[in-house]
Amino acid sequence: KNQVEQSPQSLIILEGKNCTLQCNYTVSPFSNLRWYKQDTGRGPVSLTIMTFSENTKSNGRYTATLDADTKQSSLHITASQLSDSASYICVVTLNTGGGNKLTFGTGTQLKVEL
Amino acid sequence: DAGITQSPRHKVTETGTPVTLRCHQTENHRYMYWYRQDPGHGLRLIHYSYGVKDTDKGEVSDGYSVSRSKTEDFLLTLESATSSQTSVYFCAMGQLNEQFFGPGTRLTVL
């Protein structure tokens, strides 16, 4: 079982609508959580990063929330645009005794249609 | 993708042949990484480097080797490619908390 689970696996929405993507993790001890956007045929690009003490972080129309108690994060996209069509990946940093380790979710594939 | 490139971007090869993928960065980052991305899996770390000639294994290192003779270049070699190594390979640079990814190399092993 993946230590970082994302849902839904895929999502189709109409342009202008809002949507929320979910990330549940079991990684512990937790250092930080990052959301990446990956356009088709490109590498992932960071959207937000949150430490365990942060509840919310915004980047334009993207707002990430974190509940470290329930080990859940969400990424809310407001007023979606066609360019938001991409895969959104949740990444959790595990703080091990020998250094940090990243655990990647499998991503949510978002398609924004007219 | 700014400051980090990968070559080739696409490659088709046959089982048993050696393959080398190149990652080049212009940001003078000390840390560089190689990942593979497969359907149903998150990105998985193959190898990483923490300096010239300093490399270490990641979680899926079997069948792969790396070299870093210069700060700007990090090479990934498949000594004898297998069909299970068909994947998209991403190079990244920077600290773990702030990684910047290259555009990826799609490798198909027939």
Side-chain angles (χ1 to χ4, degrees):
Chain A
K1 183 177 169 65
N2 199 353
Q3 292 183 294
V4 178
E5 297 280 350
Q6 293 188 241
S7 62
Q9 192 171 5
S10 62
L11 180 63
I12 301 174
I13 62 173
L14 294 176
E15 187 181 31
K17 299 296 185 182
N18 303 335
C19 67
T20 300
L21 314 180
Q22 299 290 343
C23 174
N24 296 341
Y25 62 93
T26 57
V27 169
S28 180
F30 164 88
S31 178
N32 59 61
L33 185 147
R34 188 187 292 272
W35 283 92
Y36 280 92
K37 179 187 180 190
Q38 185 177 16
D39 293 314
T40 300
R42 305 288 295 274
V45 175
S46 179
L47 290 174
T48 64
I49 181 171
M50 291 180 289
T51 64
F52 67 89
S53 62
E54 295 178 291
N55 299 118
T56 185
K57 185 70 72 75
S58 290
N59 179 359
R61 295 180 296 102
Y62 301 101
T63 299
T65 64
L66 174 64
D67 186 333
D69 291 331
T70 62
K71 293 186 169 63
Q72 295 179 327
S73 177
S74 65
L75 180 69
H76 186 75
I77 303 174
T78 304
S80 61
Q81 300 176 359
L82 296 178
S83 60
D84 292 330
S85 295
S87 178
Y88 291 84
I89 302 171
C90 175
V91 185
V92 178
T93 301
L94 169 67
N95 188 2
T96 71
N100 289 337
K101 177 182 181 294
L102 300 184
T103 301
F104 290 79
T106 55
T108 291
Q109 188 68 45
L110 173 66
K111 185 174 183 181
V112 181
E113 295 182 335
L114 291 171
Chain B
D1 299 347
I4 182 167
T5 58
Q6 294 182 231
S7 60
R9 293 294 314 278
H10 302 271
K11 184 170 183 66
V12 180
T13 191
E14 293 186 349
T15 299
T17 59
V19 176
T20 295
L21 308 183
R22 180 179 183 243
C23 178
H24 179 77
Q25 57 125 335
T26 58
E27 306 298 319
N28 203 35
H29 275 295
R30 178 182 171 193
Y31 288 87
M32 297 183 75
Y33 313 81
W34 276 106
Y35 293 90
R36 61 178 291 173
Q37 188 175 41
D38 304 290
H41 292 275
L43 281 153
R44 292 180 290 176
L45 182 65
I46 304 171
H47 281 281
Y48 67 97
S49 170
Y50 46 97
V52 173
K53 292 186 169 55
D54 292 325
T55 65
D56 206 348
K57 296 179 180 180
E59 60 183 297
V60 290
S61 59
D62 288 347
Y64 302 95
S65 62
V66 290
S67 65
R68 189 148 178 224
S69 59
K70 298 185 291 184
T71 298
E72 57 266 34
D73 290 325
F74 192 31
L75 304 181
L76 176 71
T77 297
L78 291 64
E79 301 291 347
S80 178
T82 68
S83 58
S84 64
Q85 293 177 311
T86 291
S87 186
V88 181
Y89 291 86
F90 287 97
C91 175
M93 63 181 179
Q95 298 286 340
L96 266 186
N97 289 338
E98 188 68 51
Q99 286 190 357
F100 301 92
F101 286 84
T105 294
R106 182 173 294 276
L107 176 67
T108 302
V109 184
L110 301 175

